[in-house]
Coordinates of all heavy atoms in Angstrom, one line a residue:
L285 N 8.7 14.8 0.3 CA 9.3 15.2 1.6 C 8.3 15.0 2.7 O 8.6 14.5 3.8 CB 9.8 16.6 1.6 CG 10.5 17.1 2.8 CD1 11.7 16.2 3.2 CD2 11.0 18.5 2.6
G286 N 7.0 15.4 2.5 CA 6.0 15.3 3.4 C 5.7 13.8 3.8 O 5.4 13.5 4.9
M287 N 5.7 13.0 2.7 CA 5.4 11.6 2.9 C 6.5 11.0 3.8 O 6.3 10.2 4.7 CB 5.3 10.8 1.6 CG 5.1 9.4 1.8 SD 5.0 8.5 0.3 CE 3.4 9.1 -0.4
V288 N 7.8 11.3 3.5 CA 8.9 10.7 4.3 C 8.8 11.2 5.7 O 9.0 10.4 6.7 CB 10.3 11.1 3.7 CG1 11.4 10.7 4.6 CG2 10.4 10.5 2.3
T289 N 8.4 12.4 6.0 CA 8.3 13.0 7.3 C 7.2 12.2 8.0 O 7.3 11.8 9.2 CB 8.0 14.5 7.3 OG1 9.1 15.1 6.6 CG2 7.9 15.0 8.7
A290 N 6.0 12.0 7.4 CA 4.9 11.3 8.0 C 5.3 9.9 8.3 O 4.9 9.4 9.4 CB 3.7 11.4 7.1
V291 N 6.0 9.3 7.4 CA 6.4 7.9 7.7 C 7.4 7.8 8.8 O 7.3 6.9 9.7 CB 7.0 7.2 6.4 CG1 7.6 5.9 6.7 CG2 6.0 7.1 5.3
Q292 N 8.3 8.8 8.9 CA 9.2 8.8 10.0 C 8.6 9.0 11.3 O 8.9 8.3 12.3 CB 10.3 9.9 9.8 CG 11.4 9.8 10.8 CD 12.6 10.7 10.4 OE1 12.4 11.7 9.7 NE2 13.7 10.4 10.9
Q293 N 7.6 9.8 11.4 CA 6.8 10.1 12.7 C 6.0 8.8 13.1 O 5.9 8.5 14.2 CB 5.9 11.3 12.5 CG 6.6 12.6 12.5 CD 5.7 13.8 12.3 OE1 4.6 13.6 11.9 NE2 6.1 14.9 12.8
T294 N 5.5 8.1 12.1 CA 4.7 7.0 12.4 C 5.5 5.7 12.8 O 5.1 5.0 13.6 CB 3.8 6.6 11.2 OG1 3.0 7.8 10.9 CG2 2.9 5.4 11.5
T295 N 6.6 5.6 12.1 CA 7.4 4.3 12.2 C 8.7 4.5 13.0 O 9.3 3.5 13.4 CB 7.8 3.8 10.8 OG1 8.6 4.7 10.2 CG2 6.5 3.5 10.0
A296 N 9.1 5.7 13.2 CA 10.4 6.0 13.9 C 11.6 5.4 13.2 O 12.6 5.1 13.8 CB 10.4 5.5 15.4
R297 N 11.5 5.2 11.9 CA 12.6 4.7 11.0 C 13.4 5.9 10.4 O 12.9 7.0 10.3 CB 12.0 3.8 9.9 CG 11.3 2.7 10.3 CD 12.1 1.6 10.9 NE 11.4 0.5 11.3 CZ 11.9 -0.7 11.6 NH1 13.2 -0.8 11.6 NH2 11.1 -1.7 12.0
G298 N 14.6 5.6 10.0 CA 15.4 6.6 9.3 C 15.2 6.8 7.8 O 14.5 5.9 7.2
G299 N 15.8 7.8 7.3 CA 15.6 8.1 5.9 C 15.9 7.0 4.9 O 15.1 6.7 4.0
P300 N 17.0 6.3 5.0 CA 17.4 5.2 4.1 C 16.3 4.1 4.1 O 16.0 3.5 3.1 CB 18.8 4.8 4.5 CG 19.3 6.0 5.2 CD 18.2 6.6 5.9
V301 N 15.9 3.7 5.3 CA 14.9 2.6 5.5 C 13.6 3.1 4.9 O 13.0 2.3 4.1 CB 14.8 2.3 7.0 CG1 13.6 1.3 7.2 CG2 16.0 1.7 7.6
I302 N 13.2 4.3 5.1 CA 11.9 4.8 4.6 C 12.0 4.8 3.0 O 11.1 4.4 2.4 CB 11.6 6.2 5.1 CG1 11.3 6.0 6.6 CG2 10.4 6.8 4.4 CD1 11.2 7.3 7.4
G303 N 13.1 5.3 2.5 CA 13.3 5.4 1.1 C 13.2 4.1 0.4 O 12.5 3.9 -0.6
N304 N 13.8 3.1 1.0 CA 13.8 1.7 0.5 C 12.4 1.1 0.5 O 11.9 0.5 -0.4 CB 14.8 0.8 1.2 CG 15.0 -0.5 0.5 OD1 15.2 -0.5 -0.7 ND2 15.0 -1.6 1.3
A305 N 11.7 1.4 1.7 CA 10.4 0.9 1.8 C 9.4 1.5 0.8 O 8.6 0.8 0.1 CB 9.9 1.2 3.2
L306 N 9.5 2.8 0.6 CA 8.6 3.5 -0.3 C 8.9 3.0 -1.8 O 8.0 2.8 -2.6 CB 8.8 5.0 -0.2 CG 8.2 5.6 1.1 CD1 8.5 7.1 1.2 CD2 6.7 5.3 1.2
K307 N 10.2 2.8 -2.1 CA 10.6 2.3 -3.4 C 9.9 1.0 -3.7 O 9.3 0.7 -4.7 CB 12.1 2.2 -3.5 CG 12.6 1.7 -4.9 CD 14.1 1.4 -4.9 CE 14.3 0.3 -3.9 NZ 15.5 -0.4 -4.0
S308 N 10.0 0.1 -2.7 CA 9.4 -1.2 -2.8 C 7.9 -1.1 -3.0 O 7.3 -1.8 -3.8 CB 9.7 -2.1 -1.6 OG 11.1 -2.3 -1.5
I309 N 7.3 -0.3 -2.2 CA 5.8 -0.2 -2.2 C 5.3 0.4 -3.5 O 4.4 -0.2 -4.1 CB 5.3 0.7 -1.0 CG1 5.5 -0.1 0.3 CG2 3.9 1.1 -1.2 CD1 5.4 0.8 1.6
F310 N 6.0 1.4 -4.0 CA 5.6 2.1 -5.3 C 5.9 1.2 -6.5 O 5.1 1.2 -7.4 CB 6.2 3.4 -5.4 CG 5.5 4.5 -4.6 CD1 6.1 5.0 -3.4 CD2 4.3 5.0 -4.9 CE1 5.5 5.9 -2.7 CE2 3.6 5.9 -4.2 CZ 4.2 6.4 -3.0
T311 N 6.9 0.3 -6.4 CA 7.1 -0.6 -7.5 C 6.1 -1.7 -7.5 O 5.5 -2.1 -8.5 CB 8.5 -1.2 -7.3 OG1 9.5 -0.2 -7.3 CG2 8.8 -2.3 -8.4
R312 N 5.8 -2.3 -6.3 CA 4.9 -3.4 -6.2 C 3.4 -3.0 -6.5 O 2.7 -3.8 -7.1 CB 4.9 -4.0 -4.8 CG 6.2 -4.7 -4.5 CD 6.3 -5.1 -3.1 NE 7.5 -5.8 -2.7 CZ 7.6 -7.1 -2.7 NH1 6.6 -7.9 -3.0 NH2 8.8 -7.7 -2.4
I313 N 3.0 -1.8 -6.2 CA 1.6 -1.4 -6.4 C 1.3 -1.2 -7.9 O 0.2 -1.2 -8.3 CB 1.3 -0.1 -5.6 CG1 -0.2 -0.1 -5.4 CG2 1.8 1.1 -6.2 CD1 -0.7 0.7 -4.2
Q314 N 2.3 -1.1 -8.7 CA 2.1 -1.0 -10.1 C 2.0 -2.3 -10.9 O 1.6 -2.3 -12.0 CB 3.3 -0.2 -10.8 CG 3.4 1.2 -10.2 CD 4.6 2.0 -10.8 OE1 4.8 1.9 -12.0 NE2 5.4 2.6 -9.9
R315 N 2.3 -3.4 -10.2 CA 2.2 -4.7 -10.8 C 0.8 -5.1 -11.1 O -0.1 -4.9 -10.3 CB 2.9 -5.7 -9.9 CG 4.3 -5.5 -9.7 CD 4.9 -6.6 -8.7 NE 6.3 -6.4 -8.6 CZ 7.0 -7.0 -7.6 NH1 6.5 -7.9 -6.8 NH2 8.3 -6.8 -7.5
T316 N 0.6 -5.8 -12.2 CA -0.7 -6.3 -12.6 C -1.3 -7.1 -11.6 O -2.5 -7.0 -11.2 CB -0.6 -7.0 -14.0 OG1 0.0 -6.1 -14.9 CG2 -2.0 -7.5 -14.4
E317 N -0.6 -8.0 -11.0 CA -1.1 -9.0 -10.0 C -1.6 -8.2 -8.8 O -2.7 -8.5 -8.2 CB 0.1 -9.9 -9.5 CG -0.3 -10.8 -8.4 CD 0.9 -11.6 -7.8 OE1 2.0 -11.5 -8.4 OE2 0.6 -12.3 -6.9
T318 N -0.9 -7.2 -8.3 CA -1.3 -6.3 -7.2 C -2.6 -5.6 -7.5 O -3.5 -5.5 -6.8 CB -0.2 -5.3 -6.8 OG1 1.0 -6.1 -6.5 CG2 -0.6 -4.5 -5.6
L319 N -2.6 -4.9 -8.7 CA -3.8 -4.2 -9.1 C -5.0 -5.1 -9.2 O -6.1 -4.7 -8.8 CB -3.5 -3.5 -10.4 CG -2.4 -2.4 -10.4 CD1 -2.1 -1.9 -11.8 CD2 -2.9 -1.2 -9.5
D320 N -4.8 -6.3 -9.8 CA -5.9 -7.2 -9.9 C -6.5 -7.6 -8.6 O -7.7 -7.7 -8.4 CB -5.5 -8.4 -10.7 CG -5.3 -8.1 -12.2 OD1 -5.7 -7.0 -12.7 OD2 -4.7 -8.9 -12.9
Q321 N -5.6 -7.9 -7.6 CA -6.1 -8.3 -6.3 C -6.8 -7.1 -5.6 O -7.9 -7.3 -5.0 CB -4.9 -8.7 -5.4 CG -5.5 -9.1 -4.0 CD -4.4 -9.8 -3.2 OE1 -3.6 -10.6 -3.7 NE2 -4.5 -9.7 -1.9
L322 N -6.3 -5.9 -5.7 CA -7.0 -4.8 -5.1 C -8.3 -4.6 -5.7 O -9.3 -4.3 -5.1 CB -6.1 -3.5 -5.2 CG -4.9 -3.5 -4.3 CD1 -4.0 -2.3 -4.7 CD2 -5.2 -3.4 -2.9
E323 N -8.4 -4.8 -7.0 CA -9.7 -4.6 -7.8 C -10.7 -5.7 -7.3 O -11.9 -5.4 -7.1 CB -9.4 -4.7 -9.3 CG -10.4 -4.0 -10.1 CD -10.0 -3.8 -11.5 OE1 -9.5 -4.8 -12.1 OE2 -10.1 -2.7 -12.0
R324 N -10.2 -6.9 -7.1 CA -11.1 -8.0 -6.6 C -11.6 -7.7 -5.2 O -12.7 -8.1 -4.9 CB -10.4 -9.3 -6.6 CG -10.2 -10.0 -8.0 CD -9.8 -11.4 -7.9 NE -8.4 -11.5 -7.3 CZ -7.3 -11.4 -8.0 NH1 -7.3 -11.2 -9.3 NH2 -6.1 -11.6 -7.4
L325 N -10.9 -6.9 -4.5 CA -11.3 -6.6 -3.1 C -12.2 -5.3 -3.1 O -12.6 -4.9 -2.0 CB -10.1 -6.3 -2.2 CG -9.2 -7.5 -1.9 CD1 -7.9 -7.1 -1.2 CD2 -10.1 -8.5 -1.0
G326 N -12.4 -4.7 -4.3 CA -13.3 -3.6 -4.4 C -12.7 -2.2 -4.4 O -13.4 -1.2 -4.3
F327 N -11.4 -2.2 -4.6 CA -10.7 -0.9 -4.6 C -10.6 -0.4 -6.1 O -10.5 -1.2 -7.0 CB -9.3 -1.0 -4.1 CG -9.3 -1.3 -2.6 CD1 -9.1 -2.6 -2.1 CD2 -9.4 -0.3 -1.7 CE1 -9.2 -2.9 -0.8 CE2 -9.5 -0.6 -0.3 CZ -9.3 -1.9 0.1
T328 N -10.7 0.9 -6.2 CA -10.6 1.5 -7.6 C -9.2 1.7 -7.9 O -8.5 2.5 -7.3 CB -11.4 2.8 -7.6 OG1 -12.7 2.6 -7.1 CG2 -11.4 3.4 -9.0
V329 N -8.7 0.9 -8.9 CA -7.3 1.0 -9.3 C -7.1 1.6 -10.7 O -6.0 2.0 -11.0 CB -6.6 -0.3 -9.1 CG1 -6.6 -0.9 -7.7 CG2 -7.2 -1.4 -10.1
R330 N -8.2 1.7 -11.4 CA -8.1 2.2 -12.8 C -9.1 3.3 -12.9 O -10.2 3.3 -12.4 CB -8.4 1.1 -13.8 CG -7.3 0.0 -13.8 CD -7.5 -1.1 -14.8 NE -6.4 -2.0 -14.8 CZ -6.3 -3.0 -13.9 NH1 -7.2 -3.3 -13.0 NH2 -5.3 -3.9 -14.0
S331 N -8.7 4.3 -13.7 CA -9.6 5.4 -14.1 C -10.6 5.0 -15.1 O -10.5 3.8 -15.6 CB -8.8 6.6 -14.7 OG -7.8 7.0 -13.8
L332 N -11.6 5.8 -15.4 CA -12.6 5.4 -16.4 C -12.0 5.1 -17.8 O -12.6 4.3 -18.5 CB -13.6 6.6 -16.5 CG -14.5 6.8 -15.3 CD1 -15.4 8.0 -15.5 CD2 -15.3 5.6 -14.9
D333 N -10.9 5.8 -18.1 CA -10.3 5.5 -19.4 C -9.4 4.2 -19.4 O -8.8 3.9 -20.4 CB -9.5 6.7 -19.9 CG -8.3 7.0 -19.0 OD1 -8.0 6.3 -18.0 OD2 -7.6 8.0 -19.3
G334 N -9.3 3.5 -18.2 CA -8.6 2.3 -18.2 C -7.2 2.4 -17.7 O -6.5 1.4 -17.5
S335 N -6.7 3.7 -17.5 CA -5.3 3.9 -17.0 C -5.3 3.6 -15.5 O -6.3 3.8 -14.8 CB -4.8 5.3 -17.4 OG -5.7 6.3 -16.7
T336 N -4.1 3.3 -15.1 CA -3.9 3.0 -13.6 C -3.9 4.3 -12.9 O -3.3 5.3 -13.3 CB -2.6 2.3 -13.4 OG1 -2.6 1.1 -14.2 CG2 -2.4 2.0 -11.9
R337 N -4.7 4.4 -11.8 CA -4.7 5.5 -10.9 C -3.3 5.7 -10.3 O -2.6 4.8 -10.1 CB -5.7 5.4 -9.8 CG -7.2 5.4 -10.3 CD -8.2 5.1 -9.2 NE -8.1 6.2 -8.2 CZ -8.4 6.0 -6.9 NH1 -8.7 4.9 -6.5 NH2 -8.3 7.1 -6.1
P338 N -3.0 7.0 -9.8 CA -1.8 7.2 -9.2 C -1.6 6.4 -7.9 O -2.6 6.1 -7.2 CB -1.8 8.7 -8.8 CG -2.8 9.3 -9.8 CD -3.8 8.2 -10.0
A339 N -0.4 5.9 -7.6 CA -0.2 5.0 -6.5 C -0.6 5.7 -5.2 O -1.2 5.0 -4.3 CB 1.3 4.7 -6.4
I340 N -0.4 7.0 -5.0 CA -0.8 7.7 -3.8 C -2.3 7.6 -3.6 O -2.8 7.4 -2.5 CB -0.4 9.1 -3.9 CG1 1.1 9.2 -3.9 CG2 -1.0 9.9 -2.7 CD1 1.8 8.9 -2.6
A341 N -3.1 7.7 -4.7 CA -4.5 7.6 -4.6 C -5.0 6.2 -4.2 O -5.9 6.1 -3.4 CB -5.2 8.0 -6.0
I342 N -4.3 5.2 -4.8 CA -4.7 3.8 -4.4 C -4.4 3.6 -3.0 O -5.2 3.0 -2.2 CB -4.0 2.9 -5.3 CG1 -4.4 3.0 -6.8 CG2 -4.2 1.4 -4.9 CD1 -3.6 2.3 -7.8
L343 N -3.2 4.0 -2.5 CA -2.8 3.8 -1.1 C -3.7 4.6 -0.2 O -4.0 4.1 0.9 CB -1.3 4.2 -0.9 CG -0.3 3.2 -1.5 CD1 1.1 3.8 -1.4 CD2 -0.4 1.9 -0.9
S344 N -4.1 5.7 -0.5 CA -5.0 6.5 0.3 C -6.4 5.8 0.5 O -6.9 5.8 1.6 CB -5.3 7.9 -0.3 OG -4.1 8.7 -0.3
E345 N -6.9 5.3 -0.6 CA -8.1 4.5 -0.6 C -8.0 3.3 0.3 O -8.8 3.0 1.1 CB -8.6 4.2 -1.9 CG -10.0 3.4 -1.9 CD -10.4 3.0 -3.3 OE1 -9.8 3.3 -4.3 OE2 -11.5 2.3 -3.3
L346 N -6.9 2.6 0.1 CA -6.6 1.4 0.9 C -6.5 1.7 2.4 O -7.1 1.0 3.2 CB -5.3 0.7 0.4 CG -4.9 -0.5 1.1 CD1 -6.0 -1.6 1.0 CD2 -3.6 -1.0 0.5
A347 N -5.8 2.8 2.7 CA -5.7 3.2 4.1 C -7.1 3.5 4.8 O -7.4 3.2 5.9 CB -4.8 4.5 4.3
K348 N -8.0 4.1 4.0 CA -9.3 4.5 4.5 C -10.2 3.2 4.7 O -11.0 3.2 5.6 CB -10.0 5.4 3.5 CG -9.4 6.8 3.5 CD -10.1 7.7 2.4 CE -9.4 9.0 2.3 NZ -9.8 9.8 1.2
K349 N -10.0 2.2 3.9 CA -10.8 1.1 3.9 C -10.2 -0.2 4.4 O -10.8 -1.3 4.4 CB -11.3 0.8 2.5 CG -12.2 1.9 1.9 CD -12.6 1.5 0.5 CE -13.5 2.6 -0.1 NZ -13.8 2.3 -1.5
I350 N -9.0 -0.1 5.0 CA -8.2 -1.3 5.4 C -9.0 -2.0 6.5 O -9.0 -3.3 6.6 CB -6.8 -0.9 5.9 CG1 -6.0 -2.2 6.1 CG2 -6.8 -0.1 7.2 CD1 -5.4 -2.8 4.8
D351 N -9.7 -1.3 7.3 CA -10.5 -2.0 8.4 C -11.7 -2.7 8.0 O -12.3 -3.5 8.7 CB -10.9 -0.9 9.5 CG -9.7 -0.4 10.3 OD1 -8.7 -1.2 10.4 OD2 -9.7 0.7 10.7
T352 N -12.1 -2.6 6.7 CA -13.2 -3.3 6.2 C -12.8 -4.7 5.7 O -13.6 -5.6 5.4 CB -13.9 -2.6 5.0 OG1 -13.0 -2.5 3.9 CG2 -14.3 -1.2 5.4
L353 N -11.5 -5.0 5.6 CA -10.9 -6.3 5.2 C -10.8 -7.2 6.3 O -10.6 -6.8 7.5 CB -9.6 -6.1 4.5 CG -9.5 -5.1 3.3 CD1 -8.0 -5.0 2.9 CD2 -10.4 -5.6 2.2
T354 N -10.9 -8.5 6.0 CA -10.7 -9.5 7.1 C -9.2 -9.5 7.4 O -8.4 -9.0 6.7 CB -11.1 -10.9 6.6 OG1 -10.2 -11.3 5.5 CG2 -12.5 -10.9 6.1
A355 N -8.8 -10.2 8.5 CA -7.4 -10.3 8.9 C -6.6 -10.9 7.8 O -5.5 -10.5 7.5 CB -7.3 -11.0 10.2
A356 N -7.1 -11.9 7.2 CA -6.4 -12.6 6.1 C -6.2 -11.7 4.9 O -5.2 -11.8 4.3 CB -7.2 -13.9 5.7
Q357 N -7.3 -11.0 4.5 CA -7.2 -10.1 3.4 C -6.2 -9.0 3.7 O -5.4 -8.6 2.8 CB -8.5 -9.5 3.1 CG -9.5 -10.4 2.5 CD -10.9 -9.8 2.4 OE1 -11.4 -9.1 3.2 NE2 -11.6 -10.2 1.3
K358 N -6.2 -8.4 4.9 CA -5.2 -7.4 5.3 C -3.8 -8.0 5.1 O -2.9 -7.3 4.5 CB -5.4 -7.0 6.7 CG -6.5 -6.1 7.0 CD -6.6 -5.7 8.5 CE -7.8 -4.9 8.9 NZ -7.8 -4.6 10.3
A359 N -3.5 -9.1 5.7 CA -2.2 -9.7 5.6 C -1.7 -10.0 4.2 O -0.6 -9.6 3.9 CB -2.2 -11.0 6.4
S360 N -2.6 -10.6 3.4 CA -2.2 -10.9 2.0 C -2.0 -9.6 1.2 O -1.1 -9.6 0.4 CB -3.1 -11.9 1.4 OG -4.4 -11.3 1.2
T361 N -2.8 -8.6 1.4 CA -2.7 -7.4 0.6 C -1.5 -6.6 1.0 O -0.8 -6.1 0.1 CB -4.0 -6.6 0.8 OG1 -5.1 -7.3 0.4 CG2 -4.0 -5.3 0.0
T362 N -1.2 -6.5 2.3 CA -0.1 -5.7 2.7 C 1.2 -6.4 2.3 O 2.2 -5.8 2.0 CB -0.1 -5.4 4.2 OG1 -0.3 -6.5 5.0 CG2 -1.2 -4.4 4.5
E363 N 1.2 -7.8 2.4 CA 2.4 -8.5 1.9 C 2.6 -8.4 0.4 O 3.7 -8.2 0.0 CB 2.2 -10.0 2.3 CG 3.5 -10.8 1.9 CD 3.3 -12.3 2.3 OE1 2.8 -12.5 3.4 OE2 3.8 -13.1 1.5
L364 N 1.5 -8.4 -0.3 CA 1.6 -8.2 -1.8 C 2.2 -6.9 -2.2 O 3.0 -6.8 -3.1 CB 0.2 -8.4 -2.4 CG 0.2 -8.4 -3.9 CD1 0.9 -9.7 -4.5 CD2 -1.3 -8.5 -4.4
I365 N 1.8 -5.8 -1.5 CA 2.2 -4.5 -1.7 C 3.6 -4.2 -1.1 O 4.4 -3.6 -1.7 CB 1.2 -3.4 -1.3 CG1 -0.1 -3.6 -2.1 CG2 1.7 -2.0 -1.5 CD1 -1.3 -2.8 -1.5
G366 N 3.7 -4.6 0.1 CA 4.9 -4.2 0.9 C 6.0 -5.2 1.0 O 7.1 -4.9 1.3
G367 N 5.7 -6.5 0.7 CA 6.7 -7.5 0.8 C 6.6 -8.2 2.2 O 6.0 -7.7 3.1
V368 N 7.2 -9.4 2.2 CA 7.1 -10.2 3.5 C 7.8 -9.4 4.6 O 7.2 -9.5 5.7 CB 7.9 -11.5 3.2 CG1 7.9 -12.3 4.5 CG2 7.2 -12.3 2.1
F369 N 8.9 -8.8 4.4 CA 9.6 -8.1 5.5 C 9.3 -6.6 5.6 O 10.0 -5.9 6.4 CB 11.1 -8.4 5.4 CG 11.4 -9.8 5.3 CD1 11.8 -10.4 4.2 CD2 11.4 -10.6 6.5 CE1 12.1 -11.8 4.1 CE2 11.7 -11.9 6.5 CZ 12.1 -12.5 5.3
Q370 N 8.3 -6.2 4.9 CA 8.0 -4.7 4.9 C 6.9 -4.3 5.9 O 5.7 -4.3 5.6 CB 7.6 -4.3 3.5 CG 7.7 -2.9 3.1 CD 9.1 -2.4 3.3 OE1 9.4 -1.9 4.4 NE2 10.0 -2.6 2.4
S371 N 7.3 -4.0 7.1 CA 6.4 -3.6 8.1 C 5.9 -2.1 8.0 O 4.9 -1.8 8.6 CB 7.0 -3.8 9.5 OG 8.1 -3.0 9.7
T372 N 6.6 -1.3 7.2 CA 6.3 0.1 7.1 C 4.9 0.3 6.6 O 4.1 1.1 7.1 CB 7.3 0.8 6.2 OG1 8.6 0.6 6.8 CG2 7.0 2.3 6.1
L373 N 4.5 -0.4 5.6 CA 3.2 -0.3 5.0 C 2.1 -0.7 6.0 O 1.1 0.0 6.1 CB 3.1 -1.2 3.7 CG 1.7 -1.1 3.0 CD1 1.4 0.3 2.5 CD2 1.6 -2.1 1.9
K374 N 2.3 -1.8 6.7 CA 1.4 -2.2 7.7 C 1.2 -1.1 8.8 O 0.0 -0.8 9.2 CB 1.8 -3.5 8.4 CG 1.8 -4.7 7.4 CD 2.3 -5.9 8.1 CE 2.4 -7.1 7.1 NZ 3.0 -8.3 7.7
K375 N 2.3 -0.6 9.3 CA 2.2 0.5 10.3 C 1.4 1.7 9.8 O 0.6 2.3 10.5 CB 3.5 0.9 10.8 CG 4.2 -0.2 11.6 CD 5.6 0.3 12.1 CE 6.2 -0.7 12.9 NZ 7.5 -0.3 13.4
L376 N 1.7 2.1 8.5 CA 1.0 3.2 8.0 C -0.5 3.0 7.8 O -1.3 3.8 8.1 CB 1.6 3.6 6.6 CG 3.0 4.3 6.7 CD1 3.5 4.5 5.3 CD2 2.9 5.6 7.4
L377 N -0.8 1.9 7.2 CA -2.2 1.6 6.9 C -3.0 1.3 8.1 O -4.2 1.8 8.2 CB -2.3 0.4 5.9 CG -1.8 0.7 4.5 CD1 -1.9 -0.6 3.7 CD2 -2.5 1.8 3.8
W378 N -2.5 0.6 9.1 CA -3.3 0.2 10.2 C -3.3 1.2 11.3 O -4.1 1.1 12.2 CB -2.8 -1.2 10.7 CG -3.0 -2.3 9.7 CD1 -3.6 -2.2 8.5 CD2 -2.6 -3.6 9.9 NE1 -3.6 -3.4 7.9 CE2 -3.0 -4.3 8.7 CE3 -1.9 -4.3 10.8 CZ2 -2.7 -5.6 8.5 CZ3 -1.7 -5.7 10.6 CH2 -2.1 -6.3 9.5
Q379 N -2.6 2.3 11.2 CA -2.6 3.3 12.2 C -3.4 4.6 11.7 O -3.4 5.5 12.5 CB -1.2 3.7 12.6 CG -0.5 2.6 13.4 CD 0.9 3.0 13.9 OE1 1.3 4.2 13.7 NE2 1.6 2.1 14.5
T380 N -4.0 4.5 10.6 CA -4.7 5.7 10.1 C -6.1 5.7 10.6 O -6.6 4.7 11.1 CB -4.7 5.7 8.5 OG1 -5.3 4.5 8.1 CG2 -3.3 6.0 8.0

C-alpha cells in the first residue's frame, strides 16, 4: 500500500495503471537476463548463498545508484526492467 501511494504521488497515475506497472516491473526484474545485466553494471542481485535478492532491495539499490550510470545505461536498464512503454519506473528512479 505504501509503495502504491508513493508511486501515485510521484507519477500522478491511478491505481490500475500503477498496479499494472508494478506487476510488469516485478516480473521483469526476476528474469535471468535482467539480473545478469544489473550484475554486469555492478549491482548486487544475488545473496552470498546465490539466491536472488528481493526485488525491492534491488530496485532500492538501483534508485540510489542510477545517477552513476551513463544515459545509455540508464535507458537500456530501465527499458529492460520496465518495458518500452513503462515510464513509471523511469519517473521513480530518476526522481529519487
Side-chain angles (χ1 to χ4, degrees):
L285 184 57
M287 180 181 289
V288 172
T289 301
V291 172
Q292 188 171 23
Q293 287 179 337
T294 302
T295 64
R297 301 288 183 167
V301 173
I302 294 168
N304 191 45
L306 291 175
K307 178 187 68 158
S308 296
I309 290 165
F310 283 105
T311 299
R312 290 170 181 266
I313 202 160
Q314 296 176 50
R315 294 179 180 169
T316 303
E317 176 187 357
T318 304
L319 294 171
D320 290 346
Q321 178 168 330
L322 289 171
E323 205 165 48
R324 282 191 298 274
L325 291 171
F327 294 97
T328 306
V329 298
R330 294 182 178 83
S331 301
L332 292 176
D333 65 2
S335 62
T336 304
R337 292 177 61 212
I340 295 288
I342 296 170
L343 288 171
S344 293
E345 181 183 356
L346 182 59
K348 290 176 188 171
K349 296 180 180 177
I350 193 79
D351 289 330
T352 66
L353 301 178
T354 66
Q357 289 171 325
K358 283 181 188 180
S360 67
T361 301
T362 54
E363 182 178 322
L364 187 65
I365 296 171
V368 177
F369 301 107
Q370 199 58 263
S371 62
T372 301
L373 179 65
K374 292 177 186 176
K375 287 181 182 181
L376 284 175
L377 292 177
W378 294 356
Q379 290 183 6
T380 55

